[in-house]
Amino acid sequence: MKYVPAMKGKMVQVRSVIGGCNMPAGLPDGAHVKLIDFRDGMFEVEFEGIIHRMEPPCIREFPSATL
């Protein structure tokens, strides 16, 4: 997922990736989080009021709903 500034505040899902990133303590696999920022190659996400830094492969954008 490529980050663009308009995505700030968007809800995304985080997932572990085999051979890649793991979930930090306090952030469950599959959690829905708020996208805060992208800096130094890492996403900053908020879950239950705590900011976590995540590697890009762990971020999943929700598919657009079909109307």
Side-chain angles (χ1 to χ4, degrees):
M1 180 172 85
K2 184 175 177 163
Y3 178 80
V4 294
M7 294 173 68
K8 271 190 182 178
K10 183 174 182 167
M11 295 300 290
V12 296
Q13 185 178 40
V14 291
R15 284 277 190 202
S16 292
V17 177
I18 295 174
C21 57
N22 294 312
M23 296 296 104
L27 185 58
D29 194 13
H32 295 175
V33 299
K34 183 194 252 183
L35 190 59
I36 302 298
D37 207 352
F38 183 80
R39 54 176 88 181
D40 301 325
M42 301 281 282
F43 283 99
E44 291 183 355
V45 299
E46 180 182 359
F47 180 73
E48 295 183 346
I50 299 172
I51 304 295
H52 299 277
R53 290 177 52 84
M54 301 292 304
E55 296 176 44
C58 289
I59 305 296
R60 302 281 185 263
E61 190 171 5
F62 294 127
S64 299
T66 304
L67 299 177

